[in-house]
Amino acid sequence: MPRIASVLLPMPLPEAFDYAEPEGLDLAIGDHVTVPLGPRVIRGVVTGLRDGTGGNRPLKPVLERVDDPPLPPGVLSFVEWAARYSVDVPGWPLAMALRGLRHPAAKPDKALVLTGAQPARMTPARLKVLAAAEEGPMASGALAAAAGVSAGVVKGMVDEGVLAVTWVEPDTRFPQPDLSRPPQTLNPSQQASADVLSEMLAAGGFQAALLDGVTGSGKTEVYLEAAAAALAADPDSQVLILLPEIALTQAVLARFEARFGVAPVEWHSAVSPPRRRRAWEGVAAGQARIVVGARSALFLPFRKLRLVVVDEEHDGSFKQEEGFIYQARDLAVARAKIEGALVVLASATPSLESLWNAQAGRYRWLRLSARHGAAQLPDIGLIDMRETPPEPGRWLSPPLVKAVSVALSRGEQSLLFLNRRGYAPLVLCRACGEKMKSPDTDSWLVEHRYTGRLVCHLTGFSMKKPEACPHCGAKDSLTSIGPGVERVEEEARHLFPDARIAVFSSDTVFDAAGARALVDSMAAGEIDILVATQAAAKGHNFPNLTLVGVVDADLSLRGGDLRAGERTFQLLAQAAGRAGRHEKPGRALLQTYAPEHGVLQALKAQDRDAFVEAEMAMRQEAGLPPFGRLAAVIASGPDPVALEAYCNALAAATPNAEGVEVFGPADAPLALVRGRRRKRFLVRAERSVDLQGFLAAWRARAKVPNSVRVVFDVDPYSFL
DNA sequence: AGCACGCCGACT
DNA sequence: GTCGGCGTGCTC
């Protein structure tokens, strides 16, 4: 009976294509093959085999099997799962899974072996060569060096037929971890956590744990012992440690080497293609047993993955925002589930999602107690705006202004954080009290002075700021109420005319390059005061930053960007880490009208549990993650008219679904990227809703015109 | 993603 | 009169 092979190709095709299996090829699932696709020949992977022929339409045949290590079944399931989760084609995650194979396999090396023939004349030098050659095949240079003779001696023996050329496979094996090394000394808290992880490993099957402990509590030692346990339990088991790309430093790798006697296998963007090939093959062969990598290491072809650790699991860089969009922390859990492995999420400031899972008992919650002398949060002060208010029409209170000027006088940097774009969040008429609102929602229009417009951040509606009140007709009566970053910048320039001041928001920074440039400039000390909505997003490290002023702490607690509060907390925790290491102590000042509020008290008291509880309550009330689910749909294109038309069509095609709300289209966070205008929809769904199903149905309903590109982003992280 | 087929401007 | 621009549509 002839067979049909389903072949998945690393391309944006909606599904695997069927090909006829040629007689005698005897394919297996996971095999790499080449297949004809239209006029060309493409590499793909066999994902299914079944009896049959093409039927009415004859199938093209698989051309040949490619001699690369087959993809293990877990990877194929994972690829499929990841595609559905991300509402994207399976070809993209497959392409990620094949990323180690772009470089050709290592070719065999030339080596010399003894033929058994005796040399016509024996010399001391030749004797030494014979002895050295006993060790096995060796390259001629290495043989001469081993024997301590010149290359001429070796060449003479080859000419005489005493040595012959053979080809040997290059030794691409990785050295094995030394599991006989003594474990590290752990404190009781660490030991208890390590013991629990060992028990979980011993129990086997998919399980998840949250390893939760402040900086300095020794999370790394704990998961290193878990790794040792996983490796020792089974000689074929493999361990994957995921780290944020920036954390993959030599110092971190050295800790692994110190524990296991060998360097771990590295996998990140800076690894060269030949090394990637080697790592990929080592992982596929089950021979690379400890892999330390960035998020894309998740797609490696592990055969017997027993432990996955996501260190700094709260870190925003685990969210891949371009190309194939995914959240590596979430996919790590999925991969572990597929492989029946233990997944450990580790952080000093866990994401609310993970804490929620821990609270619900889905993740085993391991809390490490702080070590003596561990870094504390920075000195956090609350400024009661009722007691020390700013001057009318100003937003920086006297204590904060003083702190900034002290930092300036010491040559240190300040960050003024206000999570609000534009100049003023509200414009109203002094004469009649009318608030300027968006026509189709009830939300306030935000004044932008850079552009002179009033903008609705939810729907994208915008209008020129009118001269007269549209309601009562009074002239020059429109007043800007409240601060945005533009207004705080204006005030800072007024207060500190000589300081170097920059603004970081999506209105001043349009693309990744701009963001990079501004962050670098800040890190290099070229900015004294950074007014920012966004800079805290990805945990940048500014060594000379000693003052963080939160202009409106109440705002970041009220919502807007759902992770604002979390990031504020993480920012402060990060400043704390520095305060412990530098001679300059970090300091945070939070301006608030409600210093008695639970979240602020929790921050001031450095009580994370109280902070989390309050934050959870707010998310729950707003139906935001983890209590509800979010997705963004971003459409972009060079032609604003075509883009607008497509967005309208997409809006009209919104499937009807219970428990799902769709907002937009509005201008996207980065409204202009490389000449392409961007629009965004936001989708909010209840947890019970099949969000991916909804999005897939929606995506299928509107044909995308050529000039427009659409991206579906499940669980988005960028909001500004 | 590639690559072909398909209809409208400046050139050996 | 042709060569070629890249718009759109398909690839088992």
Side-chain angles (χ1 to χ4, degrees), chain A residues 106-136:
Chain A
K107 289 185 287 291
D109 289 328
K110 224 179 191 180
L112 298 176
V113 281
L114 292 170
T115 57
Q118 286 301 308
R121 204 158 6 118
M122 190 58 82
T123 66
R126 289 187 165 195
L127 265 175
K128 281 193 270 182
V129 173
L130 286 177
E134 292 284 344
E135 299 298 314

PDB file of all heavy atoms in Angstrom, chain A residues 106-136:
ATOM      1  N   ALA A 106      29.103  19.336   9.969  1.00  0.00           N
ATOM      2  CA  ALA A 106      30.568  19.294   9.930  1.00  0.00           C
ATOM      3  C   ALA A 106      31.022  18.139   9.027  1.00  0.00           C
ATOM      4  O   ALA A 106      30.454  17.054   9.061  1.00  0.00           O
ATOM      5  CB  ALA A 106      31.104  19.119  11.340  1.00  0.00           C
ATOM      6  N   LYS A 107      32.024  18.398   8.218  1.00  0.00           N
ATOM      7  CA  LYS A 107      32.536  17.363   7.316  1.00  0.00           C
ATOM      8  C   LYS A 107      33.564  16.509   8.063  1.00  0.00           C
ATOM      9  O   LYS A 107      34.183  16.968   9.010  1.00  0.00           O
ATOM     10  CB  LYS A 107      33.173  18.017   6.091  1.00  0.00           C
ATOM     11  CG  LYS A 107      32.137  18.655   5.167  1.00  0.00           C
ATOM     12  CD  LYS A 107      32.745  19.199   3.898  1.00  0.00           C
ATOM     13  CE  LYS A 107      33.555  20.465   4.131  1.00  0.00           C
ATOM     14  NZ  LYS A 107      32.757  21.630   4.503  1.00  0.00           N
ATOM     15  N   PRO A 108      33.752  15.281   7.595  1.00  0.00           N
ATOM     16  CA  PRO A 108      34.758  14.428   8.248  1.00  0.00           C
ATOM     17  C   PRO A 108      36.152  15.035   8.098  1.00  0.00           C
ATOM     18  O   PRO A 108      36.440  15.726   7.123  1.00  0.00           O
ATOM     19  CB  PRO A 108      34.662  13.112   7.469  1.00  0.00           C
ATOM     20  CG  PRO A 108      33.377  13.172   6.730  1.00  0.00           C
ATOM     21  CD  PRO A 108      33.054  14.608   6.515  1.00  0.00           C
ATOM     22  N   ASP A 109      36.995  14.765   9.062  1.00  0.00           N
ATOM     23  CA  ASP A 109      38.366  15.271   9.031  1.00  0.00           C
ATOM     24  C   ASP A 109      39.311  14.198   8.500  1.00  0.00           C
ATOM     25  O   ASP A 109      39.102  13.002   8.720  1.00  0.00           O
ATOM     26  CB  ASP A 109      38.818  15.655  10.453  1.00  0.00           C
ATOM     27  CG  ASP A 109      38.093  16.909  10.935  1.00  0.00           C
ATOM     28  OD1 ASP A 109      37.781  17.761  10.083  1.00  0.00           O
ATOM     29  OD2 ASP A 109      37.840  17.003  12.145  1.00  0.00           O
ATOM     30  N   LYS A 110      40.363  14.687   7.845  1.00  0.00           N
ATOM     31  CA  LYS A 110      41.429  13.803   7.380  1.00  0.00           C
ATOM     32  C   LYS A 110      42.238  13.345   8.598  1.00  0.00           C
ATOM     33  O   LYS A 110      42.577  14.147   9.459  1.00  0.00           O
ATOM     34  CB  LYS A 110      42.354  14.621   6.476  1.00  0.00           C
ATOM     35  CG  LYS A 110      42.779  13.943   5.201  1.00  0.00           C
ATOM     36  CD  LYS A 110      43.673  14.905   4.421  1.00  0.00           C
ATOM     37  CE  LYS A 110      43.904  14.399   3.027  1.00  0.00           C
ATOM     38  NZ  LYS A 110      44.773  15.307   2.262  1.00  0.00           N
ATOM     39  N   ALA A 111      42.553  12.054   8.665  1.00  0.00           N
ATOM     40  CA  ALA A 111      43.381  11.564   9.772  1.00  0.00           C
ATOM     41  C   ALA A 111      44.263  10.432   9.264  1.00  0.00           C
ATOM     42  O   ALA A 111      44.022   9.866   8.199  1.00  0.00           O
ATOM     43  CB  ALA A 111      42.498  11.079  10.909  1.00  0.00           C
ATOM     44  N   LEU A 112      45.305  10.112  10.037  1.00  0.00           N
ATOM     45  CA  LEU A 112      46.246   9.059   9.633  1.00  0.00           C
ATOM     46  C   LEU A 112      46.117   7.878  10.587  1.00  0.00           C
ATOM     47  O   LEU A 112      46.002   8.056  11.799  1.00  0.00           O
ATOM     48  CB  LEU A 112      47.674   9.594   9.666  1.00  0.00           C
ATOM     49  CG  LEU A 112      47.959  10.755   8.700  1.00  0.00           C
ATOM     50  CD1 LEU A 112      49.374  11.281   8.883  1.00  0.00           C
ATOM     51  CD2 LEU A 112      47.743  10.309   7.248  1.00  0.00           C
ATOM     52  N   VAL A 113      46.108   6.669  10.027  1.00  0.00           N
ATOM     53  CA  VAL A 113      46.116   5.463  10.856  1.00  0.00           C
ATOM     54  C   VAL A 113      47.245   4.537  10.418  1.00  0.00           C
ATOM     55  O   VAL A 113      47.715   4.612   9.273  1.00  0.00           O
ATOM     56  CB  VAL A 113      44.800   4.654  10.743  1.00  0.00           C
ATOM     57  CG1 VAL A 113      43.721   5.269  11.581  1.00  0.00           C
ATOM     58  CG2 VAL A 113      44.393   4.501   9.293  1.00  0.00           C
ATOM     59  N   LEU A 114      47.618   3.656  11.304  1.00  0.00           N
ATOM     60  CA  LEU A 114      48.639   2.653  10.965  1.00  0.00           C
ATOM     61  C   LEU A 114      48.032   1.628  10.011  1.00  0.00           C
ATOM     62  O   LEU A 114      46.892   1.195  10.184  1.00  0.00           O
ATOM     63  CB  LEU A 114      49.101   1.945  12.239  1.00  0.00           C
ATOM     64  CG  LEU A 114      49.887   2.821  13.220  1.00  0.00           C
ATOM     65  CD1 LEU A 114      50.078   2.099  14.548  1.00  0.00           C
ATOM     66  CD2 LEU A 114      51.236   3.202  12.619  1.00  0.00           C
ATOM     67  N   THR A 115      48.796   1.271   9.016  1.00  0.00           N
ATOM     68  CA  THR A 115      48.315   0.253   8.076  1.00  0.00           C
ATOM     69  C   THR A 115      48.744  -1.140   8.510  1.00  0.00           C
ATOM     70  O   THR A 115      48.227  -2.139   8.033  1.00  0.00           O
ATOM     71  CB  THR A 115      48.887   0.505   6.664  1.00  0.00           C
ATOM     72  OG1 THR A 115      50.325   0.512   6.759  1.00  0.00           O
ATOM     73  CG2 THR A 115      48.403   1.819   6.109  1.00  0.00           C
ATOM     74  N   GLY A 116      49.716  -1.189   9.401  1.00  0.00           N
ATOM     75  CA  GLY A 116      50.251  -2.482   9.801  1.00  0.00           C
ATOM     76  C   GLY A 116      51.552  -2.805   9.078  1.00  0.00           C
ATOM     77  O   GLY A 116      52.316  -3.654   9.518  1.00  0.00           O
ATOM     78  N   ALA A 117      51.781  -2.097   7.976  1.00  0.00           N
ATOM     79  CA  ALA A 117      53.040  -2.313   7.245  1.00  0.00           C
ATOM     80  C   ALA A 117      54.214  -1.791   8.072  1.00  0.00           C
ATOM     81  O   ALA A 117      54.069  -0.827   8.822  1.00  0.00           O
ATOM     82  CB  ALA A 117      52.982  -1.585   5.903  1.00  0.00           C
ATOM     83  N   GLN A 118      55.360  -2.481   7.945  1.00  0.00           N
ATOM     84  CA  GLN A 118      56.545  -2.043   8.680  1.00  0.00           C
ATOM     85  C   GLN A 118      57.361  -1.101   7.816  1.00  0.00           C
ATOM     86  O   GLN A 118      57.459  -1.284   6.610  1.00  0.00           O
ATOM     87  CB  GLN A 118      57.415  -3.265   9.040  1.00  0.00           C
ATOM     88  CG  GLN A 118      56.819  -4.104  10.157  1.00  0.00           C
ATOM     89  CD  GLN A 118      56.625  -3.300  11.446  1.00  0.00           C
ATOM     90  OE1 GLN A 118      57.557  -2.663  11.931  1.00  0.00           O
ATOM     91  NE2 GLN A 118      55.414  -3.337  11.992  1.00  0.00           N
ATOM     92  N   PRO A 119      57.932  -0.051   8.420  1.00  0.00           N
ATOM     93  CA  PRO A 119      58.809   0.826   7.633  1.00  0.00           C
ATOM     94  C   PRO A 119      60.064   0.078   7.198  1.00  0.00           C
ATOM     95  O   PRO A 119      60.545  -0.814   7.912  1.00  0.00           O
ATOM     96  CB  PRO A 119      59.149   1.955   8.622  1.00  0.00           C
ATOM     97  CG  PRO A 119      58.835   1.421   9.969  1.00  0.00           C
ATOM     98  CD  PRO A 119      57.816   0.334   9.816  1.00  0.00           C
ATOM     99  N   ALA A 120      60.527   0.411   6.015  1.00  0.00           N
ATOM    100  CA  ALA A 120      61.712  -0.249   5.487  1.00  0.00           C
ATOM    101  C   ALA A 120      62.906  -0.021   6.411  1.00  0.00           C
ATOM    102  O   ALA A 120      63.692  -0.919   6.670  1.00  0.00           O
ATOM    103  CB  ALA A 120      62.040   0.286   4.092  1.00  0.00           C
ATOM    104  N   ARG A 121      62.992   1.166   6.930  1.00  0.00           N
ATOM    105  CA  ARG A 121      64.092   1.463   7.836  1.00  0.00           C
ATOM    106  C   ARG A 121      63.527   2.096   9.091  1.00  0.00           C
ATOM    107  O   ARG A 121      62.665   2.967   9.029  1.00  0.00           O
ATOM    108  CB  ARG A 121      65.067   2.443   7.152  1.00  0.00           C
ATOM    109  CG  ARG A 121      66.480   2.361   7.719  1.00  0.00           C
ATOM    110  CD  ARG A 121      67.528   2.896   6.720  1.00  0.00           C
ATOM    111  NE  ARG A 121      66.970   3.495   5.525  1.00  0.00           N
ATOM    112  CZ  ARG A 121      67.167   4.792   5.200  1.00  0.00           C
ATOM    113  NH1 ARG A 121      67.880   5.568   5.958  1.00  0.00           N
ATOM    114  NH2 ARG A 121      66.673   5.277   4.087  1.00  0.00           N
ATOM    115  N   MET A 122      63.940   1.624  10.241  1.00  0.00           N
ATOM    116  CA  MET A 122      63.430   2.171  11.506  1.00  0.00           C
ATOM    117  C   MET A 122      64.404   3.197  12.042  1.00  0.00           C
ATOM    118  O   MET A 122      65.609   2.974  12.037  1.00  0.00           O
ATOM    119  CB  MET A 122      63.238   1.043  12.524  1.00  0.00           C
ATOM    120  CG  MET A 122      62.495   1.481  13.765  1.00  0.00           C
ATOM    121  SD  MET A 122      60.876   2.157  13.411  1.00  0.00           S
ATOM    122  CE  MET A 122      59.932   0.641  13.268  1.00  0.00           C
ATOM    123  N   THR A 123      63.872   4.316  12.501  1.00  0.00           N
ATOM    124  CA  THR A 123      64.689   5.352  13.136  1.00  0.00           C
ATOM    125  C   THR A 123      64.037   5.696  14.466  1.00  0.00           C
ATOM    126  O   THR A 123      62.865   5.364  14.675  1.00  0.00           O
ATOM    127  CB  THR A 123      64.740   6.631  12.273  1.00  0.00           C
ATOM    128  OG1 THR A 123      63.417   7.185  12.248  1.00  0.00           O
ATOM    129  CG2 THR A 123      65.222   6.336  10.866  1.00  0.00           C
ATOM    130  N   PRO A 124      64.771   6.346  15.368  1.00  0.00           N
ATOM    131  CA  PRO A 124      64.156   6.752  16.645  1.00  0.00           C
ATOM    132  C   PRO A 124      62.918   7.613  16.431  1.00  0.00           C
ATOM    133  O   PRO A 124      61.902   7.445  17.117  1.00  0.00           O
ATOM    134  CB  PRO A 124      65.262   7.544  17.344  1.00  0.00           C
ATOM    135  CG  PRO A 124      66.534   7.075  16.709  1.00  0.00           C
ATOM    136  CD  PRO A 124      66.199   6.685  15.299  1.00  0.00           C
ATOM    137  N   ALA A 125      62.987   8.537  15.470  1.00  0.00           N
ATOM    138  CA  ALA A 125      61.851   9.421  15.209  1.00  0.00           C
ATOM    139  C   ALA A 125      60.653   8.600  14.761  1.00  0.00           C
ATOM    140  O   ALA A 125      59.515   8.818  15.191  1.00  0.00           O
ATOM    141  CB  ALA A 125      62.226  10.451  14.151  1.00  0.00           C
ATOM    142  N   ARG A 126      60.894   7.619  13.870  1.00  0.00           N
ATOM    143  CA  ARG A 126      59.796   6.796  13.364  1.00  0.00           C
ATOM    144  C   ARG A 126      59.180   5.945  14.467  1.00  0.00           C
ATOM    145  O   ARG A 126      57.967   5.731  14.483  1.00  0.00           O
ATOM    146  CB  ARG A 126      60.312   5.924  12.220  1.00  0.00           C
ATOM    147  CG  ARG A 126      60.602   6.771  10.996  1.00  0.00           C
ATOM    148  CD  ARG A 126      60.950   5.945   9.785  1.00  0.00           C
ATOM    149  NE  ARG A 126      60.855   6.768   8.601  1.00  0.00           N
ATOM    150  CZ  ARG A 126      60.810   6.274   7.362  1.00  0.00           C
ATOM    151  NH1 ARG A 126      60.893   4.966   7.175  1.00  0.00           N
ATOM    152  NH2 ARG A 126      60.698   7.081   6.342  1.00  0.00           N
ATOM    153  N   LEU A 127      60.019   5.490  15.385  1.00  0.00           N
ATOM    154  CA  LEU A 127      59.500   4.716  16.515  1.00  0.00           C
ATOM    155  C   LEU A 127      58.516   5.552  17.339  1.00  0.00           C
ATOM    156  O   LEU A 127      57.456   5.070  17.757  1.00  0.00           O
ATOM    157  CB  LEU A 127      60.653   4.278  17.417  1.00  0.00           C
ATOM    158  CG  LEU A 127      61.217   2.886  17.146  1.00  0.00           C
ATOM    159  CD1 LEU A 127      62.429   2.624  18.034  1.00  0.00           C
ATOM    160  CD2 LEU A 127      60.154   1.826  17.365  1.00  0.00           C
ATOM    161  N   LYS A 128      58.912   6.800  17.533  1.00  0.00           N
ATOM    162  CA  LYS A 128      58.036   7.687  18.322  1.00  0.00           C
ATOM    163  C   LYS A 128      56.704   7.889  17.599  1.00  0.00           C
ATOM    164  O   LYS A 128      55.634   7.919  18.223  1.00  0.00           O
ATOM    165  CB  LYS A 128      58.726   9.048  18.556  1.00  0.00           C
ATOM    166  CG  LYS A 128      59.762   8.994  19.683  1.00  0.00           C
ATOM    167  CD  LYS A 128      60.199  10.381  20.112  1.00  0.00           C
ATOM    168  CE  LYS A 128      61.411  10.833  19.282  1.00  0.00           C
ATOM    169  NZ  LYS A 128      61.899  12.163  19.714  1.00  0.00           N
ATOM    170  N   VAL A 129      56.757   8.011  16.291  1.00  0.00           N
ATOM    171  CA  VAL A 129      55.514   8.194  15.515  1.00  0.00           C
ATOM    172  C   VAL A 129      54.645   6.950  15.631  1.00  0.00           C
ATOM    173  O   VAL A 129      53.424   7.040  15.838  1.00  0.00           O
ATOM    174  CB  VAL A 129      55.830   8.505  14.039  1.00  0.00           C
ATOM    175  CG1 VAL A 129      54.546   8.514  13.215  1.00  0.00           C
ATOM    176  CG2 VAL A 129      56.540   9.844  13.914  1.00  0.00           C
ATOM    177  N   LEU A 130      55.260   5.780  15.500  1.00  0.00           N
ATOM    178  CA  LEU A 130      54.498   4.526  15.615  1.00  0.00           C
ATOM    179  C   LEU A 130      53.788   4.451  16.959  1.00  0.00           C
ATOM    180  O   LEU A 130      52.615   4.083  17.043  1.00  0.00           O
ATOM    181  CB  LEU A 130      55.429   3.324  15.448  1.00  0.00           C
ATOM    182  CG  LEU A 130      55.910   3.048  14.023  1.00  0.00           C
ATOM    183  CD1 LEU A 130      56.886   1.860  14.019  1.00  0.00           C
ATOM    184  CD2 LEU A 130      54.746   2.753  13.098  1.00  0.00           C
ATOM    185  N   ALA A 131      54.516   4.834  18.004  1.00  0.00           N
ATOM    186  CA  ALA A 131      53.928   4.783  19.345  1.00  0.00           C
ATOM    187  C   ALA A 131      52.749   5.739  19.452  1.00  0.00           C
ATOM    188  O   ALA A 131      51.679   5.385  19.971  1.00  0.00           O
ATOM    189  CB  ALA A 131      54.989   5.129  20.393  1.00  0.00           C
ATOM    190  N   ALA A 132      52.948   6.952  18.936  1.00  0.00           N
ATOM    191  CA  ALA A 132      51.888   7.961  19.027  1.00  0.00           C
ATOM    192  C   ALA A 132      50.670   7.537  18.210  1.00  0.00           C
ATOM    193  O   ALA A 132      49.520   7.761  18.608  1.00  0.00           O
ATOM    194  CB  ALA A 132      52.416   9.311  18.540  1.00  0.00           C
ATOM    195  N   ALA A 133      50.905   6.879  17.070  1.00  0.00           N
ATOM    196  CA  ALA A 133      49.811   6.499  16.180  1.00  0.00           C
ATOM    197  C   ALA A 133      48.979   5.356  16.755  1.00  0.00           C
ATOM    198  O   ALA A 133      47.850   5.131  16.318  1.00  0.00           O
ATOM    199  CB  ALA A 133      50.363   6.118  14.804  1.00  0.00           C
ATOM    200  N   GLU A 134      49.542   4.649  17.726  1.00  0.00           N
ATOM    201  CA  GLU A 134      48.784   3.586  18.400  1.00  0.00           C
ATOM    202  C   GLU A 134      47.499   4.127  19.024  1.00  0.00           C
ATOM    203  O   GLU A 134      46.531   3.395  19.211  1.00  0.00           O
ATOM    204  CB  GLU A 134      49.638   2.950  19.521  1.00  0.00           C
ATOM    205  CG  GLU A 134      50.831   2.162  19.046  1.00  0.00           C
ATOM    206  CD  GLU A 134      50.426   0.799  18.473  1.00  0.00           C
ATOM    207  OE1 GLU A 134      49.289   0.366  18.733  1.00  0.00           O
ATOM    208  OE2 GLU A 134      51.257   0.216  17.748  1.00  0.00           O
ATOM    209  N   GLU A 135      47.560   5.397  19.406  1.00  0.00           N
ATOM    210  CA  GLU A 135      46.424   6.012  20.128  1.00  0.00           C
ATOM    211  C   GLU A 135      45.165   6.077  19.267  1.00  0.00           C
ATOM    212  O   GLU A 135      44.077   6.304  19.791  1.00  0.00           O
ATOM    213  CB  GLU A 135      46.784   7.440  20.574  1.00  0.00           C
ATOM    214  CG  GLU A 135      47.971   7.517  21.526  1.00  0.00           C
ATOM    215  CD  GLU A 135      47.710   6.782  22.836  1.00  0.00           C
ATOM    216  OE1 GLU A 135      46.626   6.982  23.402  1.00  0.00           O
ATOM    217  OE2 GLU A 135      48.600   6.007  23.270  1.00  0.00           O
ATOM    218  N   GLY A 136      45.294   5.954  17.957  1.00  0.00           N
ATOM    219  CA  GLY A 136      44.124   6.037  17.083  1.00  0.00           C
ATOM    220  C   GLY A 136      44.352   7.057  15.988  1.00  0.00           C
ATOM    221  O   GLY A 136      45.423   7.673  15.929  1.00  0.00           O
TER     222      GLY A 136
END
